[in-house]
Amino acid sequence: MEKQMLRACIEKLKRNGKLIECHVPVDPKFELGAVLKYYKNEKPILFHKVKGYNIPVVGAIFGNRDIYYEMLGISHEERIFKIADAISNPKPVRLLNYGPVMENIIKRNIDITKMFPVPTFHEKDSSSFITAGMLVIKDPETGKRYISIRRFQINGSNKMSILIASPLLKGQLERLEAKNQPLEVAVVLGYDYSLLLASQISSETYGIDKYEIDSALRGEPIELVKCHTCDLEVPAYAEIVFEGVIPPHKREEEGPFGELMGYYGEKGMHPIIEIKAIMHRNNPVFQTAFPCREEHLSNGLIREVETYSNLKKLVDVKDVNITVGGGCRFHAVIAINKRAEGDGKSAIIGALSSSNDLKHVVVTDDDIDIFDMDDVELAIATRFQASKDLVRIKGALGSGLDPSHRIDGLTDKLGIDATKPLGEKGKRFDKGSIPGFENIDICKYFPRRKL
Ligand SMILES: Cc1cc2nc3c(=O)[nH]c(=O)nc-3n(C[C@H](O)[C@H](O)[C@H](O)COP(=O)(O)O)c2cc1C
């Protein structure tokens, strides 16, 4: 039985009753995305019949927190420590001579949209998009490997553009362009929960080989094979790999594209990839990601680790929720064990300094469940006074995914200290409790009811 990558995940999701299978034909243009969105992008769906193709499509597999933990084999409570441990203790990869992804190698007559069911999601999207592609590159100067998820607009039979937000990769491209050199790339479809999580670590912050973080996270070496036409390594059990180059000085129009916050990203001139070869497994499964906040959960999980680590130096932080509602980047809710007056404000400062993207922070005591928004609201409603507990910062840097920032080029930051006072005054906030409630056996009272 396979243990690594997408096919192993699909099997496990099936076994655990977490996969919905659709046997009705769906159109990759709009219809497939509409079905994914109907289930809020949180229910993994395998579309067996995609109109015009004999390749199934899987989507929405990474959008649900509980499923993510289950598939990684970690609990909510231990996640921050396990991920931090993997980042600090990378483990070696295993390079194989052969892997299933090499079952088919195509070098001629490449026509991406004829071969694969690449979806179009929103009405005004400029083209169909590969939204779940994992970019693999090597810095030609240092030989260091980098992996990350990017979006790829289909521009022609063997051509796609790539949207790069990361300053590190932009810098690498600029240095190569100065020497008039191309950059070899591979775009991988068919990865799993562990590799996606590892890919979301920032290269700028850590500068480590994310495949090695993946090996540490999955508890065994990730198995890789060499690409066919370039000096790059890709997962042996991936479904599809596009190999090619980013030629220097070439730009093509990209966008508009309905992005994760639900707004269209603007048109712009972006680098392109010329595809030279495609490797794929027999009967490949095409992996897609509806462009939505839920699909960025993996990114939010990494941000929770980073915010937690930043706060650890300042306060007794208990947990961090980088909310999906805030696009897994704009909003943090933080639970602390308040030990001194001022801890709430320190936590706001610590959180806001952990990422430029973070815009609004709520700090609560640790008797509040920060993953239950009703409980968070209770803290804001009853423990927060705007005249003394609100922190406002004008005109800071923000994220281009927030249109209000994009218009002004600057963003305001806000912190809400919803912690209760310490000492005698704090007693007013003791919550009522019912003896025996925690261990109540509810089935005893409703024996015939399916709960
Ligand atoms: C579903 C999904 C789509 C993403 N799309 C893009 C994208 O189009 N462009 C981009 O620069 N980053 C995108 N990201 C974020 C990067 O993959 C992420 O920030 C990564 O850590 C960057 O790695 P780097 O620091 O090595 O550049 C996406 C992430 C996810 C989960």
Side-chain angles (χ1 to χ4, degrees):
M1 201 169 61
E2 283 181 24
K3 288 203 290 180
Q4 298 190 356
M5 302 303 136
L6 182 68
R7 223 169 268 206
C9 294
I10 292 175
E11 281 312 309
K12 190 167 173 190
L13 286 166
K14 239 188 233 180
R15 276 199 309 279
N16 296 3
K18 297 285 158 49
L19 185 75
I20 308 182
E21 297 189 59
C22 175
H23 293 276
V24 173
V26 289
D27 197 320
K29 190 163 184 176
F30 306 140
E31 192 180 8
L32 188 146
V35 178
L36 291 172
K37 187 170 170 166
Y38 180 85
Y39 288 106
K40 299 200 161 159
N41 312 298
E42 283 201 359
K43 289 203 193 302
I45 306 180
L46 180 60
F47 298 92
H48 287 278
K49 292 185 182 154
V50 182
K51 283 181 190 165
Y53 300 88
N54 55 10
I55 293 179
V57 176
V58 73
I61 41 181
F62 302 115
N64 178 282
R65 198 177 263 273
D66 292 329
I67 295 179
Y68 216 113
Y69 295 150
E70 187 178 324
M71 297 299 286
L72 275 182
I74 59 173
S75 70
H76 175 73
E77 288 70 28
E78 66 191 4
R79 78 196 187 284
I80 287 182
F81 311 101
K82 288 230 160 150
I83 299 170
D85 188 53
I87 296 173
S88 318
N89 298 292
K91 295 275 183 294
V93 306
R94 184 177 294 139
L95 190 62
L96 309 180
N97 290 327
Y98 183 80
V101 72
M102 297 158 98
E103 281 164 349
N104 302 273
I105 295 173
I106 299 152
K107 291 201 290 184
R108 282 175 194 207
N109 303 323
I110 290 175
D111 193 334
I112 302 169
T113 51
K114 276 204 180 128
M115 295 164 74
F116 300 103
V118 186
T120 305
F121 292 103
H122 290 106
E123 190 185 1
K124 293 183 187 160
D125 283 358
S126 48
S127 179
S128 53
F129 279 79
I130 295 176
T131 47
M134 184 174 288
L135 179 78
V136 181
I137 56 162
K138 236 178 225 175
D139 185 326
E141 287 164 5
T142 61
K144 261 181 149 177
R145 272 190 295 237
Y146 294 96
I147 57 169
S148 56
I149 309 295
R150 315 279 172 188
R151 75 173 189 236
F152 304 92
Q153 171 189 276
I154 304 300
N155 291 10
S157 55
N158 70 337
K159 210 167 47 158
M160 45 203 192
S161 22
I162 168 171
L163 183 90
I164 306 168
S166 113
L168 196 97
L169 181 50
K170 274 186 186 159
Q172 283 165 342
L173 276 182
E174 278 163 18
R175 284 198 299 282
L176 281 172
E177 287 193 323
K179 295 189 218 159
N180 215 22
Q181 280 174 8
L183 178 67
E184 290 185 330
V185 302
V187 177
V188 177
L189 291 178
Y191 45 85
D192 61 10
Y193 290 79
S194 172
L195 186 56
L196 174 61
L197 194 60
S199 80
Q200 294 309 292
I201 292 164
S202 152
S203 299
E204 275 207 310
T205 314
Y206 302 97
I208 30 183
D209 186 343
K210 301 188 206 181
Y211 278 145
E212 294 189 358
I213 308 293
D214 170 83
S215 290
L217 264 176
R218 73 175 64 247
E220 63 174 18
I222 180 172
E223 299 192 332
L224 302 174
V225 290
K226 280 268 177 213
C227 281
H228 190 71
T229 57
C230 54
D231 177 30
L232 293 169
E233 294 84 35
V234 290
Y237 290 88
E239 295 292 321
I240 302 162
V241 174
F242 300 94
E243 302 181 11
V245 292
I246 301 183
H249 308 296
K250 279 198 187 166
R251 299 286 186 274
E252 284 187 17
E253 193 171 278
E254 199 257 11
F257 176 71
E259 291 178 339
L260 71 138
M261 295 310 285
Y263 306 111
Y264 284 103
E266 289 158 359
K267 278 189 227 168
M269 299 303 284
H270 288 280
I272 58 155
I273 299 176
E274 288 165 357
I275 305 298
K276 306 280 184 207
I278 299 175
M279 302 199 286
H280 71 82
R281 295 184 70 153
N282 291 336
N283 307 313
V285 180
F286 189 88
Q287 184 176 17
T288 191
F290 188 84
C292 60
R293 292 170 290 178
E294 292 77 10
E295 280 293 347
H296 286 251
L297 174 67
S298 53
N299 196 280
L301 287 168
I302 297 298
R303 288 170 193 260
E304 284 172 2
V305 176
E306 290 176 343
T307 306
Y308 184 94
S309 309
N310 230 37
L311 288 170
K312 199 78 198 143
K313 295 173 270 183
L314 303 170
V315 292
D316 186 12
V317 55
K318 291 298 172 193
D319 207 354
V320 177
N321 178 6
I322 303 289
T323 69
V324 171
C328 302
R329 47 184 38 78
F330 295 118
H331 288 171
V333 188
I334 292 153
I336 62 168
N337 167 32
K338 186 167 170 177
R339 292 185 299 203
E341 292 301 347
D343 272 359
K345 304 285 188 311
S346 292
I348 291 170
I349 296 167
L352 288 176
S353 66
S354 70
S355 153
N356 270 339
D357 293 343
L358 204 54
K359 192 173 169 189
H360 302 142
V361 177
V362 178
V363 183
T364 73
D365 302 287
D366 56 357
D367 63 336
I368 297 293
D369 178 355
I370 58 169
F371 288 86
D372 174 350
M373 285 307 136
D374 281 350
D375 223 21
V376 174
E377 206 177 332
L378 173 96
I380 298 173
T382 60
R383 301 180 184 184
F384 164 76
Q385 287 295 330
S387 62
K388 62 182 179 63
D389 297 324
L390 186 72
V391 175
R392 237 174 43 158
I393 296 162
K394 242 179 126 179
L397 271 182
S399 157
L401 288 166
D402 165 10
S404 67
H405 168 261
R406 207 157 48 204
I407 289 166
D408 284 352
L410 292 171
T411 195
D412 292 348
K413 310 264 169 165
L414 181 142
I416 290 178
D417 177 0
T419 56
K420 56 190 181 188
L422 294 170
E424 269 311 299
K425 284 187 192 160
K427 296 230 165 67
R428 187 69 193 80
F429 298 85
D430 287 347
K431 285 181 174 171
S433 66
I434 310 175
F437 177 73
E438 293 299 326
N439 300 317
I440 197 164
D441 174 11
I442 208 74
C443 299
K444 191 173 102 185
Y445 305 92
F446 309 103
R448 282 199 295 270
R449 203 172 156 191
K450 216 173 158 208
L451 297 169

